Amino acid sequence: GMKEAPCLHIGRRRLAQRNSSGLLLLAMDDWKAAFGEEWDAVVLGTGMKECLLSGLLSVAGKKVLHLDRNDYYGGASASLDINQLFEKFQAGAPPSEAELGKLRDWAVDMVPKFIMAGGQLVKVLIHTKTANYMEFKAVDGSYCYRAPKARSSGEFGRVHKVPLTPKEALSSSMLSMLEKGRMGKFTMWVASIDCGKPEGFFEDGSFRDMPYWTRVGMTGRKKMPLTQWNGDQFFKDWGLEAGTIEFLTHVCALYRDESWRSAPALEVVSRMQLYLESRTRFAGMTSPYLYPLFGLGELPQAFARLAAVHGGTYMLNRDLDGSPVFGPNDLSLEYAEDGTVAGVVNHDGEEAVVARTKTVVGDPSYFAGKTKPTGSVVRAIALLDAPLAEMEKDGASSCQVIFPAAQCGRCNDLYLFLCSNAHKVAPVGKYVAFLSTKVEGPTQGMSNEQIAHRELAAGLALFTRPGAPMPLHLFYDAYPTYAPLTNGTKDRVFISESFDATSHFETAINDVLDMYQRITGETLNLDALAAAASAEQ
């Protein structure tokens, strides 16, 4: 008995018909014509971050040329059909309908990330009006992993629904009786304060005008100097148990490690507020997350339509006759004498053709020598014919599980993303799950499968414990991550960071907004822009 949550039309109108291949083709009659023009910006790669940036720049009135050396959208964050997935991971035998259900119903995002309903990405989609081309549906569950009491006992870890409302707190096995009361008070307080408006100031010269908030203590109102305190001091003041603090910081505030301890208390509180507000952003939500129907593969195409509306051009690497336009040495950069970028080069035989621009944006794969390695991400992709037992109990058809690092004896959290036919990414009765984390140990001479079994052990155990849904297929993947060497303001070449292991969009959208600020010198006031766009409709 899966509860069907309604589809959410964040934007104004329903989806245009997808054409048979689901792809929007904007091939140029002649790529040279596009390269002959001058552009405000040239964007390299059609990954999610690059699409968001070209969309924001287009809407700000910039003329954007958006190129991809692949003949498909999405770069590292492409969406694959089942045949492409089997090819990518050399699965041997081709996929079979008997085992996997209707094959054409699979759409597997290579970088699946849930979208925080009250977060910045939703505001970007509303402001750029790309929300009008897509449909979203709420994600059913947000869960937290707890390790077994004794690791050696042969017991298995469990996942628990994150208890946020007083009602959930009361029924949660994660909280002791006393903690249920403390937790209820705590979340009510977090929801009630205005982070932007401290209630008053100390007047004793020592902390002149130090802002503080207050809460009801044992002896009347108690001062909470959130701008002076760090996360550690803040939680000490509340006297919550370590396990409670762990899920509040890792699963609600989405810290990926223990950095919340030294973060300003005000930041910790505002991150928890975002989680709470997102839970109530649309009626009937049981988690703070949304995901598009048909998956994130819809995003680049929505942005390609947007670019066309604003006089921009998207070009994938295929001509009208299907032959490639860019060779392996193409899409190199040309610089002016002062060291700033002057254009992007493509070759026609021997002849170099330059698309003139003073701003280039793109993902790390286009800029050899301009990036530094930042580690690597390892993932396991499971195709299942049953959800996790804990989801079945809640009637959930999609969920995120965060495994706080300490529960797995690690430094970095593990993330589980799980979706199904409810979001149109798998056939009826089938599920796609992604487990991911940042690699911590040496990988010399190891296969992706060996790395995954070492790093993702706690997550993989959920599929091998007694009574668990044995995956129909399990694929392993590891990829290096990169960050730009400089912030791009000198040479006007702005490079995004590789996607991290998180199963939500928060770190990615922060990178995008930070890049936008460096590219344009302006900070977007997304609240105002999204409100204006909504009012217009």
Side-chain angles (χ1 to χ4, degrees):
M2 299 291 182
K3 303 181 300 299
E4 270 298 300
C7 289
L8 299 161
H9 298 285
I10 299 174
R12 152 180 56 177
R13 55 172 176 217
R14 300 214 47 145
L15 213 58
Q17 273 309 133
R18 294 152 58 84
N19 65 21
S20 57
S21 68
L23 259 187
L24 192 79
L25 283 178
L26 293 175
M28 295 286 296
D29 289 336
D30 181 10
W31 64 267
K32 282 195 205 164
F35 269 68
E37 294 178 40
E38 176 135 356
W39 300 89
D40 293 321
V42 176
V43 180
L44 301 178
T46 51
M48 291 181 290
K49 291 185 183 182
E50 286 64 42
C51 290
L52 288 166
L53 282 163
S54 84
L56 286 167
L57 292 168
S58 296
V59 171
K62 308 269 187 267
K63 207 175 102 182
V64 180
L65 174 63
H66 201 146
L67 311 171
D68 199 310
R69 68 158 82 87
N70 299 305
D71 60 0
Y72 55 86
Y73 283 110
S77 54
S79 184
L80 305 187
D81 66 32
I82 196 75
N83 291 310
Q84 293 166 324
L85 184 73
F86 272 55
E87 255 163 63
K88 179 177 166 73
F89 293 106
Q90 286 143 15
S96 95
E97 292 227 328
E99 179 189 44
L100 291 168
K102 243 201 204 136
L103 293 182
R104 65 188 184 84
D105 288 351
W106 289 97
V108 183
D109 288 322
M110 283 293 95
V111 181
K113 289 184 186 289
F114 289 132
I115 298 168
M116 190 67 94
Q120 306 285 43
L121 178 57
V122 167
K123 292 170 197 161
V124 169
L125 297 174
I126 293 171
H127 161 54
T128 55
K129 301 196 171 60
T130 33
N132 299 343
Y133 303 114
M134 303 171 70
E135 291 184 65
F136 296 82
K137 193 179 163 85
V139 173
D140 294 332
S142 175
Y143 295 90
C144 180
Y145 172 83
R146 282 269 169 98
K149 289 271 185 293
R151 291 246 165 86
S152 55
S153 63
E155 282 180 61
F156 288 86
R158 299 204 22 228
V159 308
H160 300 263
K161 218 178 172 128
V162 176
L164 276 185
T165 62
K167 190 173 156 217
E168 288 169 344
L170 280 174
S171 64
S172 174
S173 57
M174 285 176 89
L175 304 169
S176 64
M177 252 350 268
L178 281 170
E179 191 72 347
K180 289 178 200 285
R182 282 192 289 260
M183 176 70 187
K185 273 204 194 80
F186 175 79
T187 41
M188 301 249 306
W189 179 84
V190 168
S192 72
I193 73 158
D194 181 338
C195 283
K197 283 210 184 92
E199 294 162 47
F201 300 94
F202 290 122
E203 287 306 337
D204 67 338
S206 61
F207 284 123
R208 191 143 206 85
D209 296 341
M210 182 166 100
Y212 64 85
W213 288 253
T214 61
R215 70 180 178 98
V216 177
M218 301 299 272
T219 55
R221 294 202 77 80
K222 188 169 183 302
K223 288 177 174 171
M224 309 276 290
L226 299 182
T227 50
Q228 304 302 111
W229 279 355
N230 61 24
D232 241 348
Q233 293 165 301
F234 169 73
F235 281 113
K236 253 193 203 86
D237 186 76
W238 279 95
L240 295 167
E241 290 168 10
T244 308
I245 295 171
E246 182 178 67
F247 79 72
L248 287 170
T249 51
H250 287 255
V251 186
C252 303
L254 299 177
Y255 285 95
R256 294 180 275 173
D257 47 34
E258 293 300 284
S259 57
W260 60 269
R261 292 181 182 279
S262 54
L266 192 60
E267 176 192 289
V268 179
V269 173
S270 60
R271 280 178 164 214
M272 284 189 291
Q273 277 190 343
L274 172 62
Y275 189 98
L276 289 169
E277 283 161 16
S278 295
R279 275 275 309 246
T280 54
R281 177 80 168 72
F282 300 100
M285 288 187 68
T286 49
S287 92
Y289 298 108
L290 306 172
Y291 203 61
L293 293 190
F294 305 105
L296 292 169
E298 297 294 293
L299 261 180
Q301 295 169 58
F303 279 102
R305 289 173 200 185
L306 175 79
V309 171
H310 289 275
T313 293
Y314 264 61
M315 286 175 60
L316 297 178
N317 195 4
R318 58 161 175 242
D319 237 334
L320 289 177
D321 62 3
S323 62
V325 181
F326 313 123
N329 304 320
D330 287 328
L331 303 184
S332 55
L333 305 184
E334 191 170 277
Y335 294 89
E337 276 171 21
D338 64 1
T340 60
V341 76
V344 174
V345 184
N346 194 30
H347 291 86
D348 184 25
E350 290 300 294
E351 183 199 355
V353 187
V354 182
R356 298 264 157 233
T357 185
K358 293 187 168 63
T359 301
V360 172
V361 179
D363 76 61
S365 71
Y366 287 84
F367 304 101
K370 284 184 171 290
T371 60
K372 57 179 183 226
T374 53
S376 58
V377 170
V378 63
R379 311 186 296 179
I381 304 164
L383 308 183
L384 308 163
D385 56 8
L388 297 173
E390 291 91 343
M391 293 170 65
E392 292 216 79
K393 198 178 81 220
D394 297 327
S397 59
S398 55
C399 77
Q400 170 178 266
V401 183
I402 291 183
F403 299 67
Q407 296 291 326
C408 316
R410 297 174 48 81
C411 307
N412 293 276
D413 292 359
L414 250 62
Y415 298 89
L416 174 66
F417 165 104
L418 203 150
C419 253
S420 68
N421 182 255
H423 284 87
K424 309 256 186 282
V425 296
V428 176
K430 302 288 186 269
Y431 300 79
V432 59
F434 266 77
L435 260 172
S436 51
T437 192
K438 188 176 167 132
V439 175
E440 292 180 5
T443 55
Q444 202 59 45
M446 289 174 72
S447 69
N448 288 346
E449 181 168 352
Q450 289 168 324
I451 299 168
H453 277 278
R454 180 186 68 202
E455 305 278 337
L456 299 169
L460 290 169
L462 291 184
F463 301 116
T464 52
R465 58 188 175 169
M470 265 302 289
L472 304 169
H473 285 273
L474 204 47
F475 302 116
Y476 303 98
D477 185 26
Y479 63 87
T481 56
Y482 298 93
L485 284 170
T486 68
N487 70 8
T489 46
K490 277 209 173 60
D491 60 3
R492 304 282 311 154
V493 177
F494 301 93
I495 305 172
S496 62
E497 294 179 6
S498 307
F499 290 105
D500 62 30
T502 57
S503 49
H504 54 77
F505 242 113
E506 292 306 288
T507 51
I509 192 67
N510 289 340
D511 187 28
V512 166
L513 296 176
D514 187 56
M515 286 176 71
Y516 183 87
Q517 199 271 322
R518 299 196 309 260
I519 294 165
T520 61
E522 291 159 32
T523 308
L524 280 176
N525 180 349
L526 281 174
D527 288 323
L529 292 168
S534 299
E536 230 176 87
Q537 300 192 5

